[in-house]
Amino acid sequence: MRKALASLAFPAPCRICARILDTGSTLPFCHACMYALEQTLREPLCAQCGRPIVSAAAAEGGSVPQCHLCRSQVYAFDFARSFGAYTPRMSRAILLLKYGNVAPLGAWFARRLAGLVQRQPGSFAADVVVPVPLDHGRMRGRGYNQAELIAKPMARLLGIPFRSYLLVRTRPRPNQLRLTRRERWETVRGAYATHKTAQVDKLRVILVDDVFTTGATLDACSRALKGAGAARVAGVTVARALPLSSAPDAGLPDQDFGE
Ligand SMILES: [Zn+2]
Ligand SMILES: [Zn+2]
């Protein structure tokens, strides 16, 4: 009976795997896909950037686990965490947020990220929440910024002021969808700036984005904020790209539109 009602409410198939919907959830996803999306990253994580640490030696060495990038102080942000792994299902869900017009998805992700922030209040202590901005062309084409769709309800849940105008993207992202690691770093270097009217001095900022791929985007945004005097920058993203060997949930075609 419940199934019948649910399928009446959502006659369309699961927007991730195309199976017939078996749930009355507010999101058009089946049980299996919802379950997969709810899986959080496994510890141990790098104390600074939140990258899952796979090597036992790195996890055991020292009291605070740190990845090789953070040991060499690559990133300008102080702290970063992601909700889940960038699995094929997660990548579909994020695509639906970007292009699929699934309205409740931004709020659903926002609740997950707000929970993540609340579990580590010291590391995420902040005065403002700022979404990673799109360039003007993309913003015009799409009409909204997916990071903003997550960051705005997240800020409301946390009771922290939302400031989308603090950061601007001054150089557009190239149109090519797949970028190598090196290209990701090169295309975002110096691509962000604080808005000329923005008061950033001594601010503690939570930066919000959809995917942490190499960390280059959060790094470039953090450099702009810190260059303008920000005291602290902590990044939070829905998903984290992992090395293929450690990524669960294979079997669905992957599409990489991140960063
Ligand atoms: Zn599904
Ligand atoms: Zn790290």
Side-chain angles (χ1 to χ4, degrees), residues 21 76 85 123 136 147-148 161 188 203 211 231 244 259:
L21 283 180
S123 302
H136 283 300
E148 192 167 327
V188 294
L203 271 191
V211 188
L244 280 177
E259 290 188 357

mmCIF file with all atom_site columns, all heavy atoms in Angstrom, residues 21 76 85 123 136 147-148 161 188 203 211 231 244 259:
data_model
loop_
_atom_site.group_PDB
_atom_site.id
_atom_site.type_symbol
_atom_site.label_atom_id
_atom_site.label_alt_id
_atom_site.label_comp_id
_atom_site.label_asym_id
_atom_site.label_entity_id
_atom_site.label_seq_id
_atom_site.pdbx_PDB_ins_code
_atom_site.Cartn_x
_atom_site.Cartn_y
_atom_site.Cartn_z
_atom_site.occupancy
_atom_site.B_iso_or_equiv
_atom_site.pdbx_formal_charge
_atom_site.auth_seq_id
_atom_site.auth_comp_id
_atom_site.auth_asym_id
_atom_site.auth_atom_id
_atom_site.pdbx_PDB_model_num
ATOM 1  N N   . LEU A 1 21  ? 10.736 3.945  -7.945  1.00 0.00 ? 21  LEU A N   1
ATOM 2  C CA  . LEU A 1 21  ? 10.859 4.477  -6.587  1.00 0.00 ? 21  LEU A CA  1
ATOM 3  C C   . LEU A 1 21  ? 10.063 3.642  -5.591  1.00 0.00 ? 21  LEU A C   1
ATOM 4  O O   . LEU A 1 21  ? 8.911  3.312  -5.828  1.00 0.00 ? 21  LEU A O   1
ATOM 5  C CB  . LEU A 1 21  ? 10.382 5.921  -6.549  1.00 0.00 ? 21  LEU A CB  1
ATOM 6  C CG  . LEU A 1 21  ? 11.382 6.925  -7.113  1.00 0.00 ? 21  LEU A CG  1
ATOM 7  C CD1 . LEU A 1 21  ? 10.803 8.318  -7.035  1.00 0.00 ? 21  LEU A CD1 1
ATOM 8  C CD2 . LEU A 1 21  ? 12.692 6.845  -6.358  1.00 0.00 ? 21  LEU A CD2 1
ATOM 9  N N   . ALA A 1 76  ? 46.144 26.841 1.822   1.00 0.00 ? 76  ALA A N   1
ATOM 10 C CA  . ALA A 1 76  ? 46.021 28.107 2.551   1.00 0.00 ? 76  ALA A CA  1
ATOM 11 C C   . ALA A 1 76  ? 44.856 28.083 3.547   1.00 0.00 ? 76  ALA A C   1
ATOM 12 O O   . ALA A 1 76  ? 44.761 28.947 4.407   1.00 0.00 ? 76  ALA A O   1
ATOM 13 C CB  . ALA A 1 76  ? 45.834 29.264 1.566   1.00 0.00 ? 76  ALA A CB  1
ATOM 14 N N   . ALA A 1 85  ? 31.974 10.474 0.284   1.00 0.00 ? 85  ALA A N   1
ATOM 15 C CA  . ALA A 1 85  ? 32.908 10.258 -0.827  1.00 0.00 ? 85  ALA A CA  1
ATOM 16 C C   . ALA A 1 85  ? 32.234 10.641 -2.149  1.00 0.00 ? 85  ALA A C   1
ATOM 17 O O   . ALA A 1 85  ? 31.011 10.547 -2.292  1.00 0.00 ? 85  ALA A O   1
ATOM 18 C CB  . ALA A 1 85  ? 33.335 8.803  -0.878  1.00 0.00 ? 85  ALA A CB  1
ATOM 19 N N   . SER A 1 123 ? 36.872 23.941 15.346  1.00 0.00 ? 123 SER A N   1
ATOM 20 C CA  . SER A 1 123 ? 37.525 24.037 14.042  1.00 0.00 ? 123 SER A CA  1
ATOM 21 C C   . SER A 1 123 ? 36.709 24.857 13.052  1.00 0.00 ? 123 SER A C   1
ATOM 22 O O   . SER A 1 123 ? 37.251 25.451 12.135  1.00 0.00 ? 123 SER A O   1
ATOM 23 C CB  . SER A 1 123 ? 37.760 22.643 13.473  1.00 0.00 ? 123 SER A CB  1
ATOM 24 O OG  . SER A 1 123 ? 38.550 21.891 14.365  1.00 0.00 ? 123 SER A OG  1
ATOM 25 N N   . HIS A 1 136 ? 30.921 35.034 -13.842 1.00 0.00 ? 136 HIS A N   1
ATOM 26 C CA  . HIS A 1 136 ? 29.697 35.702 -14.299 1.00 0.00 ? 136 HIS A CA  1
ATOM 27 C C   . HIS A 1 136 ? 28.984 34.955 -15.425 1.00 0.00 ? 136 HIS A C   1
ATOM 28 O O   . HIS A 1 136 ? 27.774 34.811 -15.414 1.00 0.00 ? 136 HIS A O   1
ATOM 29 C CB  . HIS A 1 136 ? 30.010 37.126 -14.754 1.00 0.00 ? 136 HIS A CB  1
ATOM 30 C CG  . HIS A 1 136 ? 30.211 38.054 -13.605 1.00 0.00 ? 136 HIS A CG  1
ATOM 31 N ND1 . HIS A 1 136 ? 29.233 38.282 -12.668 1.00 0.00 ? 136 HIS A ND1 1
ATOM 32 C CD2 . HIS A 1 136 ? 31.280 38.787 -13.233 1.00 0.00 ? 136 HIS A CD2 1
ATOM 33 C CE1 . HIS A 1 136 ? 29.698 39.118 -11.767 1.00 0.00 ? 136 HIS A CE1 1
ATOM 34 N NE2 . HIS A 1 136 ? 30.938 39.445 -12.077 1.00 0.00 ? 136 HIS A NE2 1
ATOM 35 N N   . ALA A 1 147 ? 26.802 25.941 -5.125  1.00 0.00 ? 147 ALA A N   1
ATOM 36 C CA  . ALA A 1 147 ? 27.401 26.053 -3.785  1.00 0.00 ? 147 ALA A CA  1
ATOM 37 C C   . ALA A 1 147 ? 26.514 26.934 -2.901  1.00 0.00 ? 147 ALA A C   1
ATOM 38 O O   . ALA A 1 147 ? 26.371 26.705 -1.706  1.00 0.00 ? 147 ALA A O   1
ATOM 39 C CB  . ALA A 1 147 ? 28.806 26.634 -3.877  1.00 0.00 ? 147 ALA A CB  1
ATOM 40 N N   . GLU A 1 148 ? 25.901 27.935 -3.536  1.00 0.00 ? 148 GLU A N   1
ATOM 41 C CA  . GLU A 1 148 ? 25.010 28.834 -2.799  1.00 0.00 ? 148 GLU A CA  1
ATOM 42 C C   . GLU A 1 148 ? 23.733 28.108 -2.366  1.00 0.00 ? 148 GLU A C   1
ATOM 43 O O   . GLU A 1 148 ? 23.214 28.364 -1.276  1.00 0.00 ? 148 GLU A O   1
ATOM 44 C CB  . GLU A 1 148 ? 24.682 30.028 -3.705  1.00 0.00 ? 148 GLU A CB  1
ATOM 45 C CG  . GLU A 1 148 ? 24.024 31.154 -2.968  1.00 0.00 ? 148 GLU A CG  1
ATOM 46 C CD  . GLU A 1 148 ? 23.997 32.447 -3.780  1.00 0.00 ? 148 GLU A CD  1
ATOM 47 O OE1 . GLU A 1 148 ? 24.943 32.696 -4.568  1.00 0.00 ? 148 GLU A OE1 1
ATOM 48 O OE2 . GLU A 1 148 ? 23.029 33.194 -3.638  1.00 0.00 ? 148 GLU A OE2 1
ATOM 49 N N   . PRO A 1 161 ? 25.796 34.415 9.715   1.00 0.00 ? 161 PRO A N   1
ATOM 50 C CA  . PRO A 1 161 ? 25.439 35.235 8.555   1.00 0.00 ? 161 PRO A CA  1
ATOM 51 C C   . PRO A 1 161 ? 25.981 34.674 7.238   1.00 0.00 ? 161 PRO A C   1
ATOM 52 O O   . PRO A 1 161 ? 27.118 34.200 7.182   1.00 0.00 ? 161 PRO A O   1
ATOM 53 C CB  . PRO A 1 161 ? 26.078 36.591 8.868   1.00 0.00 ? 161 PRO A CB  1
ATOM 54 C CG  . PRO A 1 161 ? 26.221 36.619 10.354  1.00 0.00 ? 161 PRO A CG  1
ATOM 55 C CD  . PRO A 1 161 ? 26.460 35.198 10.773  1.00 0.00 ? 161 PRO A CD  1
ATOM 56 N N   . VAL A 1 188 ? 42.692 27.663 -11.348 1.00 0.00 ? 188 VAL A N   1
ATOM 57 C CA  . VAL A 1 188 ? 42.105 28.438 -10.239 1.00 0.00 ? 188 VAL A CA  1
ATOM 58 C C   . VAL A 1 188 ? 43.100 29.383 -9.560  1.00 0.00 ? 188 VAL A C   1
ATOM 59 O O   . VAL A 1 188 ? 42.699 30.234 -8.782  1.00 0.00 ? 188 VAL A O   1
ATOM 60 C CB  . VAL A 1 188 ? 41.457 27.550 -9.144  1.00 0.00 ? 188 VAL A CB  1
ATOM 61 C CG1 . VAL A 1 188 ? 40.252 26.829 -9.705  1.00 0.00 ? 188 VAL A CG1 1
ATOM 62 C CG2 . VAL A 1 188 ? 42.458 26.603 -8.536  1.00 0.00 ? 188 VAL A CG2 1
ATOM 63 N N   . LEU A 1 203 ? 38.012 38.426 9.762   1.00 0.00 ? 203 LEU A N   1
ATOM 64 C CA  . LEU A 1 203 ? 36.852 37.533 9.711   1.00 0.00 ? 203 LEU A CA  1
ATOM 65 C C   . LEU A 1 203 ? 37.282 36.078 9.755   1.00 0.00 ? 203 LEU A C   1
ATOM 66 O O   . LEU A 1 203 ? 38.310 35.699 9.209   1.00 0.00 ? 203 LEU A O   1
ATOM 67 C CB  . LEU A 1 203 ? 36.072 37.743 8.409   1.00 0.00 ? 203 LEU A CB  1
ATOM 68 C CG  . LEU A 1 203 ? 34.963 38.778 8.349   1.00 0.00 ? 203 LEU A CG  1
ATOM 69 C CD1 . LEU A 1 203 ? 34.181 38.598 7.051   1.00 0.00 ? 203 LEU A CD1 1
ATOM 70 C CD2 . LEU A 1 203 ? 34.046 38.682 9.545   1.00 0.00 ? 203 LEU A CD2 1
ATOM 71 N N   . VAL A 1 211 ? 32.168 19.873 -4.317  1.00 0.00 ? 211 VAL A N   1
ATOM 72 C CA  . VAL A 1 211 ? 33.142 18.777 -4.343  1.00 0.00 ? 211 VAL A CA  1
ATOM 73 C C   . VAL A 1 211 ? 34.544 19.278 -4.017  1.00 0.00 ? 211 VAL A C   1
ATOM 74 O O   . VAL A 1 211 ? 34.957 20.333 -4.500  1.00 0.00 ? 211 VAL A O   1
ATOM 75 C CB  . VAL A 1 211 ? 33.190 18.100 -5.736  1.00 0.00 ? 211 VAL A CB  1
ATOM 76 C CG1 . VAL A 1 211 ? 34.059 16.834 -5.679  1.00 0.00 ? 211 VAL A CG1 1
ATOM 77 C CG2 . VAL A 1 211 ? 31.811 17.762 -6.238  1.00 0.00 ? 211 VAL A CG2 1
ATOM 78 N N   . ALA A 1 231 ? 40.971 36.047 9.176   1.00 0.00 ? 231 ALA A N   1
ATOM 79 C CA  . ALA A 1 231 ? 41.742 35.437 10.265  1.00 0.00 ? 231 ALA A CA  1
ATOM 80 C C   . ALA A 1 231 ? 41.814 33.922 10.126  1.00 0.00 ? 231 ALA A C   1
ATOM 81 O O   . ALA A 1 231 ? 42.814 33.304 10.476  1.00 0.00 ? 231 ALA A O   1
ATOM 82 C CB  . ALA A 1 231 ? 41.103 35.800 11.605  1.00 0.00 ? 231 ALA A CB  1
ATOM 83 N N   . LEU A 1 244 ? 40.859 6.040  -6.728  1.00 0.00 ? 244 LEU A N   1
ATOM 84 C CA  . LEU A 1 244 ? 39.923 5.013  -7.190  1.00 0.00 ? 244 LEU A CA  1
ATOM 85 C C   . LEU A 1 244 ? 39.928 3.780  -6.308  1.00 0.00 ? 244 LEU A C   1
ATOM 86 O O   . LEU A 1 244 ? 38.876 3.205  -6.027  1.00 0.00 ? 244 LEU A O   1
ATOM 87 C CB  . LEU A 1 244 ? 40.273 4.603  -8.620  1.00 0.00 ? 244 LEU A CB  1
ATOM 88 C CG  . LEU A 1 244 ? 39.757 5.564  -9.693  1.00 0.00 ? 244 LEU A CG  1
ATOM 89 C CD1 . LEU A 1 244 ? 40.207 5.111  -11.071 1.00 0.00 ? 244 LEU A CD1 1
ATOM 90 C CD2 . LEU A 1 244 ? 38.237 5.670  -9.618  1.00 0.00 ? 244 LEU A CD2 1
ATOM 91 N N   . GLU A 1 259 ? 34.955 21.054 -9.697  1.00 0.00 ? 259 GLU A N   1
ATOM 92 C CA  . GLU A 1 259 ? 35.928 22.151 -9.757  1.00 0.00 ? 259 GLU A CA  1
ATOM 93 C C   . GLU A 1 259 ? 36.039 22.732 -11.151 1.00 0.00 ? 259 GLU A C   1
ATOM 94 O O   . GLU A 1 259 ? 37.085 22.800 -11.743 1.00 0.00 ? 259 GLU A O   1
ATOM 95 C CB  . GLU A 1 259 ? 37.283 21.699 -9.234  1.00 0.00 ? 259 GLU A CB  1
ATOM 96 C CG  . GLU A 1 259 ? 37.200 21.473 -7.737  1.00 0.00 ? 259 GLU A CG  1
ATOM 97 C CD  . GLU A 1 259 ? 38.547 21.204 -7.069  1.00 0.00 ? 259 GLU A CD  1
ATOM 98 O OE1 . GLU A 1 259 ? 39.565 21.137 -7.781  1.00 0.00 ? 259 GLU A OE1 1
ATOM 99 O OE2 . GLU A 1 259 ? 38.560 21.085 -5.848  1.00 0.00 ? 259 GLU A OE2 1
#
